[in-house]
Amino acid sequence: MYSNRNQSQTRNMELGLLITRLVLGIIFLIHGITKFQGMEDTQSYFISLGLPGSMATIVGLVEFFGGVFLIIGLFTRIVSLLFVAVLFVAIFTAKAESGFIGGYELDVALIGMGITLAVAGSRYVAVDRFFRRNRR
């Protein structure tokens, strides 16, 4: 009975991580698409923040491909850390002056999701499983 309870808890935890991975992946995929749909405006915005305009392309690529990778479960831990880095830069360059409420509270929630995935990974319905040795 103890073993079944642990299996149930593990299954529930993995299901929660899968949902977190999918939601974070979809959010970043959409942000990446949006950046590329208005890249000229995005580059102008980055420049207005004191960042190089080319950084908009790099962030757009990280968001787009990182979103796709999270959705399929490829390089989950690495991509999650990249998202955390992007979010920290966004907070300190664009959102800090707005304050927490109405400013960067969503970014903090996404950072929490990213750190969770970076620490725990996500094995359910994940391409990464094909690249791992069997571990018990």
Side-chain angles (χ1 to χ4, degrees):
M1 184 155 137
Y2 182 75
S3 176
N4 287 340
R5 185 173 185 174
N6 282 344
Q7 287 177 346
S8 177
Q9 287 174 337
T10 299
R11 184 178 61 244
N12 291 342
M13 183 183 69
E14 282 296 334
L15 182 58
L17 290 168
L18 170 64
I19 292 167
T20 301
R21 192 184 85 219
L22 292 174
V23 169
L24 192 62
I26 290 167
I27 289 170
F28 273 94
L29 174 64
I30 292 169
H31 275 262
I33 290 170
T34 303
K35 278 184 180 55
F36 283 111
Q37 287 176 336
M39 184 51 75
E40 199 170 293
D41 291 336
T42 304
Q43 288 176 335
S44 295
Y45 179 66
F46 273 58
I47 291 168
S48 76
L49 295 172
L51 300 169
S54 60
M55 192 64 118
T57 303
I58 293 167
V59 171
L61 288 169
V62 167
E63 291 178 347
F64 179 82
F65 287 107
V68 170
F69 286 178
L70 274 194
I71 291 167
I72 66 172
L74 183 62
F75 306 123
T76 298
R77 291 173 188 232
I78 295 167
V79 169
S80 296
L81 289 175
L82 288 173
F83 287 167
V84 168
V86 166
L87 289 162
F88 271 115
V89 171
I91 288 171
F92 289 109
T93 59
K95 299 184 178 188
E97 291 180 7
S98 300
F100 185 75
I101 302 298
Y104 56 89
E105 78 273 12
L106 175 61
D107 298 80
V108 171
L110 296 175
I111 286 169
M113 293 169 70
I115 291 171
T116 298
L117 290 172
V119 170
S122 175
R123 296 180 299 182
Y124 274 12
V125 195
V127 173
D128 278 340
R129 292 189 84 187
F130 297 114
F131 301 108
R132 259 186 237 161
R133 289 186 235 171
N134 288 336
R135 295 180 191 168
R136 283 214 163 209

